[in-house]
Each structure stands twice: as structure tokens, then as C-alpha cells.
């Protein structure tokens, strides 16, 4: 089976479109939500300043919901970052290039705008593009038709783990030989007044402090993210710069956790991690960093941490999450986590958590990465879980080495 | 574990909820009789003369009649997912897995669900209330379960106590083919041993209808409503809406044999491509659609002469039907003219997220019964749709191997190949 490597990223957050800015923000312990200004747990799509917006074809701008804009711009940026645009014009390559994207809230804002239009004008002349814009699969088709890709597309609407699931599905399609290149990712437009009400039981009224004994929940944020996945043979052929290699993944469902988390979440998370390690043929000691889901919930963080502790047995300076810096970007968070993993491997650096962790469990504070550290990192484990429901996933990303087999 | 040698994937359970009836037998018997369920969608309160709002609604559906033990889920289920529960439950029972759960590892039992519109039926009225002045608190956490499809697969996992991967898909109108195709691949490569997979949707809302109407995709037929959907006929003018669900139990052949399961057929090939051309219109040369069919056939080592029947997407739109016909001809060559094809949308409309699964279920019944259901309302030959669509009357055929073709917005093309099961 083909090996799958990461050769590009495009990410848009409240910080803008620069990958360097995002990475530096993480390393410098900067955050999205300034307590001095009063915490508000939402970064809506309106707050994203995107200079590249005008690069989107004008006609598409008329009907793109911001959710599509964020996904689409991320794809443009990822293609640029991977320096693969010219290669995608090759008929043999475009035939094996797929778009695998997802989201949680689809194009809610565009849909609401049409309802407003009907309500205000008392007319049924809504946008003729509503059918294109107001469904979950829109971004995949828009990206594919713009870049003329012809491989197998997929749209994962698995919820806040969708970006993560798109990466694993893209990885599988490369491993199974169905695609050579996959643009994998997600986009999310958080509509204030609606999305935050739907998720209010998960949002913090104070700070976003995952694992902290005073944690209350998370902040949510809009954004987009795409990773360029490639078969190793393709990446080698075009002499692409390789960020990292995806080594294994495994997903399970703690089905009893649909409405409320319980101890099964620990059991299934631990099993997903162990199966992932088994597929990689490695031990817990071979993992240098864990990027957990860390949504700041009382129960979710508790059960997730139990699973990590069970597997890693007090390993120090292990756990890091970028979520407090950029907010929980729901489906996009899997791509930001993947970017963090790839940059940590590339720079051989463990980024520091935004806030010091004062955990309510004994002997666990040392598991968290509180200060930036140089380390010869070889492998990162990522964990994802839906913000509700019991779906859990684990993925191992490793430093690319041409000597590995 | 990942298996180096691909495994064989068989179908051992079927379930369906549609305007043709709830349950496979009713559905199939009504299809074979060529009964149309298309009527006027009075629920939309539209001017009939101007909008010709046609659709095939599921009448008098009562969720608890079919899932009496699932009352606690009702506040969390969009109607589309209520259809999904009932369809999945029939498939689950049909496969008789319950008695064999001891030999199935819980975390190797997956759920794969496709939906095009998600919980739009739940979200639209709330959106109207919000726009009319209610504050956002009318959106609560139950809307999360109803609207976001990610939790639809998780709801089935909870109900059936499955612990493997739960995946919800949403590519376009071919989405249940995407779910089935991904499930097939995961069983074939050893990610799971057994799974519930299929699709469901309840897409009949004003906003959705208007958008398709304004795109010019809905039927402008002015005769009796039953005749509004006319796939492959020269006088076709567009699609009509439908709703429902269809589900399968797919499993590794060795597991099916171990538990002496009834095997309806074997999935032997899956192909998926993208036109990379236009968001709503199919590519006129149909090259990439044909490629999807060729990929599915190649995976199954099938020659054109091996194909005995094709269950088509057949939307009855001006653009889809010729493109699909051309794709079949490019993939099958001259044999296309010897191959019966068909579109059940002529009777039950376009069920969006359920459509490909329902049409694949139909194909499985063709393999089982050796009868091809009719494409009704066929009146006049269109030179660009010149294949044998089994017009108007069902027909006995010899069928050992069949294809499901499907397409959708964004240029997504899908083909699935299914054979009658034969042991080595």
C-alpha cells in the first residue's frame, strides 16, 4: 500500500491566512480571546479578515456562504503552499486528485439570508443559488470545479471531528490507490445567535482552560483548513517539500455516550489509541506529543485524560493543544491540530500551552507542556472527538524519513 | 487490522421507507406494478399553475408504529432520521444479526449514513421563527442532534449498540452511494467486519423546492401529477421531490458464512470520479461519469457483456438523462444497447440522500427476482436517451450482475457493481 505524506497547508483563522503567523502565535502563547476585553466565547465568520477573498471568482462570491469561502480559500492557499498547482493541470494527476472536505453547520448563514429575503420581501424569489449553497457537500464541488480535479471526492459531515475524518478518509483513499493527491479539510462559519445557542451547554463563560480544574467549556471560532495529502511516490516525483507522514489512524464509537459522557469514553479512547499504536508497530514511549481533543468540558476532558494517562503512564511534557489560542474551530480543529503536529515535527519544537494547567488530578500537571521546548520529535498522536456524541479517533503523524519502510 | 488480501463484501440485510411503502416487500411489489406516488405538494402552499410543485410524500408515517422501543429518541430525530431508523431497523432484523451478536466484535461493527440535506426539515421552521423576531434561544442542543448529520450515524450506533466507526456523508444527491462505497471499502480492507449503511432524507421544504425550481431543475409538467417525472422520455421537463430511507447490512463474506446469513448479493466494484467541470450541470461529454463506471467494472474484473441491468440515477431532468445515457454507452460500448436500464424516480421522485441506496436496493431485488421494474411515464423516444429503459411495464430479465450509477451537484459520479452471490 502507498505511504501518505503531507505536503501543504492552507488555514484561515481570526489571525488571517499566514501559516507562520499561526505557528508563531502558538509558540508565543498568544490567544484569540483577550480577557482584558471581556470574554465572549464566539468568533463569528464576520470577524475573519481575509485579504485573499477577492481572489475568489466574482460570480462565486455572490452565493458563497462564508463556510464555503473559508474552505475554498484554504484550498487555494494549500495548493499554493504545496506548489502543486501546475501539476494539477496534468491529466493523469488530476484524474487521481480528490477533494475530501467536511463541516458541522453547513451554510447556515446563507440559508438564513434566504429566509430573511422571503420574509422581508414577501416574495418567493430567493437566490437561485440556494440549492448550491445550502447543502453540506457544496465546498467539495466548488473546489473540484475550480481546480478541475477529477478523482474521488468525499464529504464527511461527522460533526466537529469532520476535518480529522476527512484527513483519515483521504489517507485511506491514497493507501487504497484511489487517489494520488487529496485536498482534505473543513470550513466552519459560526453564526452568532444560532450556533452558540445550539452549543451553549459546551461554551465557557470564563476562560477556555482545557483540563484545568476550573474549566467551564470552550470558545468556538470560525475558520477553514485544508491539508494537501499525497502518495509518497507522487511527492517524490515532483520533489515536494514534505511536512510529515501519516502513519496510522483508528476510529471507534462509544455508543453509550450519545447524550452524556461516561466511563466508556475513556475505554474507547484508550482502545483507539492502542489500536493506532499497534498499527504503527510502536509503543507509547515512541510518542513525543499528544494533541488531544481538549474541549474544556468537565466530563469530556476528564474521561479523555484518563485514557491518555492509562496509555502513557505519567510521561512528562507530552500534552499540548492549540485550541485555547485559536478557539475550538469545530470541524476545522482537526486540520489545525494536524498543522500543529506537522510544524512541531518540522521545527523539532514543542509549543507551550496558552495557560498553565492546574489539573484537579494528582501528578498530572507534569504531563502538560507548559514551556516551549526543543526536542527531537519523531511522532505525534492526535485525538479527536465530536463535541457531543461518542465518536473518538486517533491518528499518528510522524517525521518523514526516506529510510522508513 | 488491515488485510493485505482484500475481503469479499456481501449484502445480508435490506430495509426501506418510501412513498411506495414501508418495508422491502411492499416497496418492491408496488415498483413492479409501476404505481406512481407522485402528487401535488400541497404542504408547500405554492401556486400550482406557476410552480408545479410535485413530489412523492410518505403519507401517515408514525415512527413509533415501527420503532416502539425508540420513543426517547424522538425529540432528537429529524423526520429524515426517523425514516433512517425504520429503514435501518428493517435491514438489521432482515440480516438476523441480533442472534449472532456474540460472534461480532462490537467495535468492528460500523455505521455509514448519507444525507444530502441533513436536518433541513427541522431547521427551516426554526429559522423562520428566528427571522420573525424570536431570539436565538429557540435553537437548543436538540437541534444539534436533529440538524447535524454527524449525530445521525451516532444515533444509530446508540440504538443498535455498535462501537465501530460512525461516518456521516454529504457529498450530493449521490450521497448514499458514497456511504455504501466507503463502507464497502472499509470492509474490503478490514477496517470493520460488518456495518449498517445507507441514506435518508426528508427534503420537502419550501426553501429547498424553490431553489431547485429557480435552477430550472423541477418538472414543469402540466398534466396529471402521476406523470410529472418522465425519465428518458423526450417530453421530460425535470425532477420531482421524494423522501425516505434505504439501508443495508454489509459484511465480510467469511462472517456471513460463519453465521449462515442469507446473502442477497456481493458488491464487487466501486468507482467514484468528479467532472471537475461545473457546480450544477453535468459534463456534456460524460467522460468522467463513464470513468466511474469503468473503475467499478475494472475492480470487479467485469467486461461490458457481463452487465445485465443498470439501475440509473434517471432524474428526468433535461441534462442528467442524456449525460447518463452517454456515460453508459461510453463505458459499455455496443453492449449498452442490449442492457436494460431503469429509473424508479419516475414513481417515487428524487429522495435525495436516500436515492442511490433505494435504487441499489431495487437492483438487488432485480438480481433476486429476475424482474426489471418499469420506468413509467415513458412516452416518446429521445435520440439522446436511446437505451432500453424498460418503458412502462415490468419485464423478466436474466440478471447475474448489475450496476448502480449515480451523480449529483459538484460533478460527483458514482458507480457500484453488484453480482449474485456465488461461493468459490
Amino acid at each position: 500500500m502507498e505511504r501518505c505524506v503531507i505536503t501543504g497547508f492552507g488555514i484561515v483563522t481570526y489571525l488571517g491566512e499566514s501559516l507562520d503567523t499561526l505557528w508563531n502565535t502558538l509558540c508565543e502563547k498568544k490567544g484569540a480571546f483577550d480577557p482584558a476585553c471581556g470574554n465572549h466565547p464566539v468568533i463569528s465568520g464576520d470577524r475573519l479578515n481575509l485579504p485573499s477573498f477577492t481572489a475568489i471568482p466574482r460570480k462565486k462570491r455572490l452565493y458563497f456562504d462564508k463556510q464555503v469561502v473559508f474552505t475554498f480559500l484554504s484550498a487555494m492557499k494549500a495548493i499554493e503552499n504545496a506548489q502543486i498547482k501546475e501539476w494539477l493541470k496534468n491529466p493523469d494527476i488530476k484524474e487521481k486528485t480528490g477533494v475530501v472536505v467536511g463541516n458541522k453547520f453547513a451554510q447556515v448563514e446563507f440559508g438564513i439570508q434566504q429566509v430573511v429575503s422571503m420574509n422581508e420581501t414577501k416574495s418567493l424569489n430567493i437566490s437561485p443559488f440556494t440549492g448550491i449553497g445550502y447543502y453540506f457537500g457544496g465546498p467539495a464541488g466548488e473546489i473540484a470545479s475550480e481546480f478541475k480535479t477529477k478523482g474521488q471526492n468525499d464529504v464527511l459531515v461527522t460533526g466537529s471531528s469532520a476535518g480529522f475524518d476527512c484527513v483519515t478518509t483521504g489517507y485511506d483513499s491514497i493507501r487504497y490507490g484511489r487517489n494520488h493527491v487529496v485536498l482534505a479539510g473543513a470550513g466552519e462559519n459560526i453564526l452568532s445567535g444560532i450556533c452558540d445557542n445550539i452549543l451553549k451547554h459546551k461554551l465557557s463563560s470564563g476562560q477556555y482552560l482545557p483540563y484545568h480544574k476550573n474549566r467551564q467549556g470552550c470558545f468556538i471560532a470560525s475558520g477553514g483548513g485544508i491539508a494537501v495529502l499525497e502518495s509518497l511516490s507522487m511527492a517524490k516525483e515532483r520533489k515536494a517539500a514534505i511536512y510529515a507522514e501519516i502513519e496510522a489512524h483508528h476510529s471507534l464509537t462509544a455508543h453509550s455516550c450519545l447524550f452524556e459522557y461516561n466511563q466508556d469514553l475513556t475505554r474507547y479512547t484508550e482502545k483507539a489509541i492502542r489500536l493506532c499504536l499497534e498499527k504503527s508497530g510502536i509503543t507509547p514511549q515512541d510518542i513525543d506529543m499528544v494533541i488531544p481533543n481538549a474541549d474544556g468540558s468537565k466530563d469530556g476532558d476528564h474521561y479523555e485524560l484518563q485514557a491518555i494517562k492509562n496509555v502513557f503512564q505519567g510521561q512528562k511534557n507530552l500534552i499540548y493543544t492549540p485550541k485555547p489560542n485559536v478557539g475550538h474551530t469545530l470541524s476545522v480543529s482537526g486540520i489545525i491540530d494536524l498543522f500543529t503536529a506537522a510544524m512541531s515535527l518540522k521545527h523539532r519544537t514543542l509549543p507551550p500551552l496558552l495557560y498553565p494547567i492546574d489539573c484537579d488530578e494528582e501528578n498530572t500537571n507534569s504531563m502538560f507542556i507548559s514551556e516551549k521546548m526543543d526536542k527531537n520529535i519523531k511522532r505525534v498522536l492526535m485525538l479527536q472527538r465530536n463535541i457531543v456524541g461518542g465518536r473518538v479517533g486517533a491518528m499518528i503523524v510522524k517525521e518523514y524519513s526516506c529510510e522508513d519502510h | 487490522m488491515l488485510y493485505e488480501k482484500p475481503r469479499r463484501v456481501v449484502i445480508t440485510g435490506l430495509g426501506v421507507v418510501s412513498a411506495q411503502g414501508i418495508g422491502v416487500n411492499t416497496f418492491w411489489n408496488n415498483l413492479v406494478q409501476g404505481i406512481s406516488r407522485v402528487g401535488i405538494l400541497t404542504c408547500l402552499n405554492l401556486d400550482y399553475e406557476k410552480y408545479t410543485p410535485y413530489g412523492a410524500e410518505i403519507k401517515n408515517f408514525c415512527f413509533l408504529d415501527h420503532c416502539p422501543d425508540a420513543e426517547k429518541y424522538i425529540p432528537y430525530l429529524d423526520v429524515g432520521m426517523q425514516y433512517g431508523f425504520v429503514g435501518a431497523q428493517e435491514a438489521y432484523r432482515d440480516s438476523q444479526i441480533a442472534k449472532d451478536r456474540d460472534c461480532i466484535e462490537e467495535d468492528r461493527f460500523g455505521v455509514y449514513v448519507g444525507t444530502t440535506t441533513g436536518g433541513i426539515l427541522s431547521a427551516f421552521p426554526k429559522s423562520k421563527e428566528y427571522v420573525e423576531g424570536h431570539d436565538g434561544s429557540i435553537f437548543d442542543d436538540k437541534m444539534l442532534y436533529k440538524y447535524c448529520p454527524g449525530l445521525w450515524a451516532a444515533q444509530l450506533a446508540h440504538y443498535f449498540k455498535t462501537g465501530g466507526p460512525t461516518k456521516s456523508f454529504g457529498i450530493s444527491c449521490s450521497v448514499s452511494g458514497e456511504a455504501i462505497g466507503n463502507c464497502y471499502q472499509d470492509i474490503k480492507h478490514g477496517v470493520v467486519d460488518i456495518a449498517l449503511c445507507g441514506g435518508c432524507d426528508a427534503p420537502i421544504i419550501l426553501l429547498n423546492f424553490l431553489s431547485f425550481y429557480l435552477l430550472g431543475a423541477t418538472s414543469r409538467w402540466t398534466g396529471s401529477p402521476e406523470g410529472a417525472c418522465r425519465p428518458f422520455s423526450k417530453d421530460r421537463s425535470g425532477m420531482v421531490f421524494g423522501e425516505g430511507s434505504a439501508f443495508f447490512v454489509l459484511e465480510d463474506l467469511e462472517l456471513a458464512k460463519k453465521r449462515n446469513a442469507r446473502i442477497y448479493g456481493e458488491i464487487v466494484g466501486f468507482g467514484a470520479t468528479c467532472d471537475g467541470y461545473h457546480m450544477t450541470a453535468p459534463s456534456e461529454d460524460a467522460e468522467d461519469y463513464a470513468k466511474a463506471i469503468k473503475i467499478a467494472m475494472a475492480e470487479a474484473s467485469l467486461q461490458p457483456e457481463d452487465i445485465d441491468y443498470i439501475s440509473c440515477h434517471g432524474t428526468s431532468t433535461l441534462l442528467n438523462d442524456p449525460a447518463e445515457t452517454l456515460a453508459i454507452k461510453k463505458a459499455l460500448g455496443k453492449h449498452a444497447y442490449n442492457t436494460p436500464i431503469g429509473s424508479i424516480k419516475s414513481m417515487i421522485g428524487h429522495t435525495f440522500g436516500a436515492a442511490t441506496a433505494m435504487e441499489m436496493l431495487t437492483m438487488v431485488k432485480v438480481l433476486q427476482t429476475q424482474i426489471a421494474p418499469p420506468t413509467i411515464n415513458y412516452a416518446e423516444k429521445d435520440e439522446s436517451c436511446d437505451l432500453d429503459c424498460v418503458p412502462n411495464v415490468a419485464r423478466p430479465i436474466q440478471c447475474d450482475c448489475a450496476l448502480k450509477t449515480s451523480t449529483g451537484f459538484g460533478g460527483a459520479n458514482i458507480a457500484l457493481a453488484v453480482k449474485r452471490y456465488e461461493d468459490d
Side-chain angles (χ1 to χ4, degrees):
Chain A
M1 286 192 178
E2 276 278 8
R3 289 165 66 183
C4 173
V5 293
I6 305 161
T7 57
F9 283 101
I11 293 174
V12 298
T13 66
Y14 79 97
L15 292 164
E17 305 161 352
S18 162
L19 296 176
D20 287 339
T21 302
L22 175 57
W23 175 242
N24 290 336
T25 298
L26 303 183
C27 289
E28 293 166 10
K29 288 192 180 188
K30 292 178 183 169
F33 303 89
D34 182 356
C37 301
N39 287 310
H40 182 64
V42 177
I43 292 184
S44 65
D46 293 335
R47 288 182 56 192
L48 268 64
N49 176 27
L50 303 171
S52 297
F53 179 68
T54 52
I56 297 173
R58 203 171 70 86
K59 187 181 172 189
K60 290 182 184 295
R61 278 185 255 151
L62 293 175
Y63 68 86
F64 270 16
D65 183 279
K66 292 189 192 74
Q67 188 268 322
V68 186
V69 169
F70 301 152
T71 319
F72 193 89
L73 273 183
S74 300
M76 288 173 63
K77 290 284 173 185
I79 286 168
E80 189 181 306
N81 184 245
Q83 300 185 355
I84 201 170
K85 191 170 183 179
E86 290 303 311
W87 290 81
L88 292 181
K89 292 175 182 168
N90 178 323
D92 292 336
I93 293 172
K94 72 164 73 173
E95 275 199 359
K96 287 278 193 175
T97 298
V99 180
V100 182
V101 294
N103 56 77
K104 183 176 183 68
F105 281 118
Q107 292 109 53
V108 172
E109 187 171 7
F110 190 79
I112 294 281
Q113 284 167 0
Q114 304 317 309
V115 179
V116 169
S117 170
M118 284 167 62
N119 207 50
E120 287 179 352
T121 63
K122 306 296 177 197
S123 155
L124 299 179
N125 285 325
I126 60 171
S127 165
F129 298 108
T130 308
I132 309 169
Y134 201 22
Y135 84 100
F136 291 85
E142 294 291 1
I143 293 167
S145 57
E146 179 67 16
F147 296 101
K148 313 292 181 205
T149 61
K150 292 172 177 287
Q152 177 177 332
N153 293 351
D154 278 301
V155 171
L156 276 294
V157 285
T158 44
S160 47
S161 67
F164 179 96
D165 297 327
C166 287
V167 171
T168 60
T169 300
Y171 163 87
D172 285 342
S173 84
I174 288 172
R175 294 261 294 166
Y176 299 163
R178 292 185 176 271
N179 283 321
H180 290 328
V181 180
V182 173
L183 306 176
E188 212 68 75
N189 176 24
I190 308 296
L191 190 58
S192 284
I194 292 182
C195 299
D196 46 348
N197 270 297
I198 290 173
L199 292 171
K200 65 186 169 199
H201 61 301
K202 293 288 178 180
L203 301 186
S204 172
S205 57
Q207 291 177 309
Y208 181 4
L209 299 167
Y211 295 115
H212 197 282
K213 63 184 177 188
N214 296 329
R215 67 188 178 274
Q216 298 177 341
C218 63
F219 299 154
I220 51 174
S222 305
I226 293 282
V228 179
L229 312 181
E230 280 185 65
S231 64
L232 177 58
S233 55
M234 166 85 188
K236 277 181 166 176
E237 184 186 335
R238 66 181 196 89
K239 297 184 172 58
I242 294 172
Y243 278 90
E245 177 173 359
I246 300 175
E247 190 167 45
H249 70 89
H250 202 92
S251 292
L252 296 170
T253 306
H255 55 78
S256 67
C257 297
L258 177 65
F259 301 115
E260 199 171 15
Y261 292 144
N262 59 49
Q263 196 63 41
D264 278 352
L265 194 63
T266 297
R267 190 164 64 87
Y268 277 86
T269 304
E270 184 178 340
K271 185 157 191 182
I273 296 171
R274 291 194 187 282
L275 285 166
C276 212
L277 293 169
E278 187 184 317
K279 284 178 179 175
S280 295
I282 60 174
T283 67
Q285 287 70 40
D286 295 316
I287 297 293
D288 299 299
M289 180 164 73
V290 175
I291 302 178
N293 187 64
D295 65 11
S297 60
K298 278 281 179 200
D299 49 1
D301 278 10
H302 168 74
Y303 292 123
E304 184 175 60
L305 188 56
Q306 293 304 314
I308 296 170
K309 286 167 67 176
N310 290 349
V311 177
F312 293 96
Q313 305 283 340
Q315 210 168 310
K316 290 184 171 52
N317 296 316
L318 183 71
I319 303 173
Y320 171 77
T321 173
K323 282 195 177 78
N325 303 70
V326 293
H328 191 328
T329 50
L330 303 179
S331 62
V332 184
S333 65
I335 306 303
I336 294 177
D337 289 356
L338 184 66
F339 169 75
T340 305
M343 293 298 272
S344 300
L345 289 161
K346 181 180 170 185
H347 293 288
R348 303 192 172 201
T349 297
L350 297 174
L353 281 158
L354 181 60
Y355 299 108
I357 298 294
D358 184 5
C359 193
D360 56 4
E361 294 170 44
E362 289 179 16
N363 305 320
T364 51
N365 288 346
S366 63
M367 292 186 78
F368 297 95
I369 303 167
S370 56
E371 294 301 328
K372 184 177 169 185
M373 297 172 69
D374 294 333
K375 188 176 179 183
N376 189 14
I377 306 169
K378 296 292 183 188
R379 284 187 175 86
V380 178
L381 171 74
M382 292 166 52
L383 301 177
Q384 273 273 321
R385 161 181 97 243
N386 279 348
I387 204 159
V388 296
R391 181 179 163 74
V392 295
M395 174 170 26
I396 293 172
V397 183
K398 71 173 186 178
E399 178 186 49
Y400 166 66
S401 166
C402 55
E403 292 168 6
D404 288 348
H405 184 62
Chain B
M1 70 197 74
L2 278 176
Y3 290 76
E4 288 303 321
K5 186 184 175 197
R7 306 190 301 176
R8 291 173 68 182
V9 181
V10 293
I11 302 165
T12 57
L14 309 175
V16 66
V17 175
S18 91
Q20 274 302 26
I22 296 168
V24 172
N25 289 340
T26 312
F27 171 77
W28 176 246
N29 290 337
N30 288 331
L31 284 184
V32 171
Q33 291 177 55
I35 297 170
S36 171
R37 300 295 177 183
V38 177
I40 297 169
L41 295 173
T42 52
C43 61
L44 300 183
N45 289 319
L46 285 169
D47 174 0
Y48 168 74
E49 297 290 331
K50 181 175 179 187
Y51 293 99
T52 53
Y54 299 117
E57 295 172 280
I58 297 172
K59 309 277 190 189
N60 305 317
F61 175 78
C62 177
F63 176 63
L64 289 178
D65 287 350
H66 307 282
C67 295
D69 60 341
E71 189 171 2
K72 70 178 175 184
Y73 295 95
I74 290 178
Y76 300 91
L77 297 179
D78 182 81
V79 173
M81 195 53 210
Q82 292 185 20
Y83 298 153
F85 259 62
V86 176
Q89 189 189 60
E90 186 188 10
Y92 187 87
R93 285 180 178 159
D94 186 43
S95 70
Q96 301 190 340
I97 316 169
K99 68 176 176 53
D100 297 324
R101 286 299 293 260
D102 288 348
C103 69
I104 297 168
E105 288 181 54
E106 184 186 90
D107 57 9
R108 294 186 60 80
F109 195 145
V111 179
Y112 300 70
V113 177
T115 167
T116 311
T117 56
I120 197 171
L121 191 65
S122 303
F124 181 60
K126 289 283 185 190
S127 302
K128 278 189 72 177
E129 285 179 44
Y130 177 71
V131 167
E132 286 162 3
H134 291 266
D135 69 28
S137 63
I138 58 169
F139 294 95
D140 58 16
D141 62 333
K142 291 186 178 63
M143 185 57 73
L144 192 62
Y145 290 83
K146 287 179 175 175
Y147 176 67
C148 298
L151 287 162
W152 291 16
Q155 286 163 342
L156 289 177
H158 187 264
Y159 186 55
F160 293 107
K161 297 183 171 48
T162 66
T166 42
K167 293 189 182 180
S168 299
F169 296 90
I171 195 161
S172 66
C173 293
S174 59
V175 65
S176 45
E178 181 190 20
I180 295 163
N182 274 274
C183 178
Y184 157 72
Q185 290 180 114
D186 279 357
I187 295 173
K188 179 178 174 179
H189 294 288
V191 177
V192 294
D193 295 329
I194 186 167
L196 276 162
C197 73
C200 50
D201 261 331
I204 303 173
I205 63 158
L206 181 62
L207 195 75
N208 202 26
F209 177 84
L210 285 174
S211 64
F212 279 83
Y213 168 82
L214 291 164
L215 282 171
T218 56
S219 173
R220 265 56 171 177
W221 179 252
T222 54
S224 67
E226 299 81 21
C229 190
R230 314 173 75 77
F232 306 111
S233 185
K234 192 170 185 176
D235 55 357
R236 71 189 180 279
S237 59
M239 49 90 81
V240 306
F241 274 52
E243 58 182 341
S245 79
F247 272 82
F248 300 89
V249 172
L250 304 186
E251 60 187 292
D252 166 35
L253 172 61
E254 294 308 315
L255 174 61
K257 282 161 82 169
K258 183 177 166 187
R259 64 183 196 88
N260 291 318
R262 173 178 50 196
I263 296 173
Y264 286 101
E266 178 178 2
I267 301 182
V268 287
F270 169 58
T273 62
C274 178
D275 287 348
Y277 164 71
H278 193 272
M279 195 56 208
T280 54
S283 170
E284 286 178 15
D285 67 14
E287 278 295 336
D288 299 295
Y289 201 171
K291 184 85 187 289
I293 300 170
K294 288 176 185 172
I295 292 170
M297 288 169 58
E299 183 174 14
S301 301
L302 294 171
Q303 299 303 313
E305 296 73 27
D306 296 324
I307 306 300
D308 300 314
Y309 178 74
I310 300 175
S311 179
C312 289
H313 193 53
T315 57
S316 176
T317 58
L318 296 176
L319 295 179
N320 173 84
D321 295 0
E324 189 164 31
T325 302
L326 184 57
I328 292 168
K329 288 195 278 196
K330 284 191 171 180
L332 268 60
K334 288 179 183 171
H335 182 67
Y337 290 97
N338 303 325
T339 308
I341 68 172
S343 169
I344 61 168
K345 287 190 178 76
S346 56
M347 294 175 265
I348 59 167
H350 192 332
T351 56
F352 285 71
T356 306
M358 254 185 225
E359 290 148 13
M360 183 157 137
L361 190 147
T362 301
M363 185 172 90
V364 171
K365 292 300 288 182
V366 173
L367 286 163
Q368 186 189 29
T369 63
Q370 303 287 290
I371 295 171
T375 302
I376 67 166
N377 300 321
Y378 187 86
E380 192 178 349
K381 184 175 179 179
D382 180 341
E383 291 303 326
S384 63
C385 302
D386 56 349
L387 299 180
D388 171 15
C389 68
V390 191
N392 301 322
V393 181
R395 183 199 306 163
I397 63 168
Q398 171 69 38
C399 185
D400 296 319
C401 180
L403 284 175
K404 172 73 201 99
T405 53
S406 188
T407 187
F409 276 0
N413 307 305
I414 278 174
L416 285 148
V418 179
K419 288 170 75 171
R420 292 174 82 173
Y421 168 66
E422 285 176 11
D423 204 354
D424 279 339

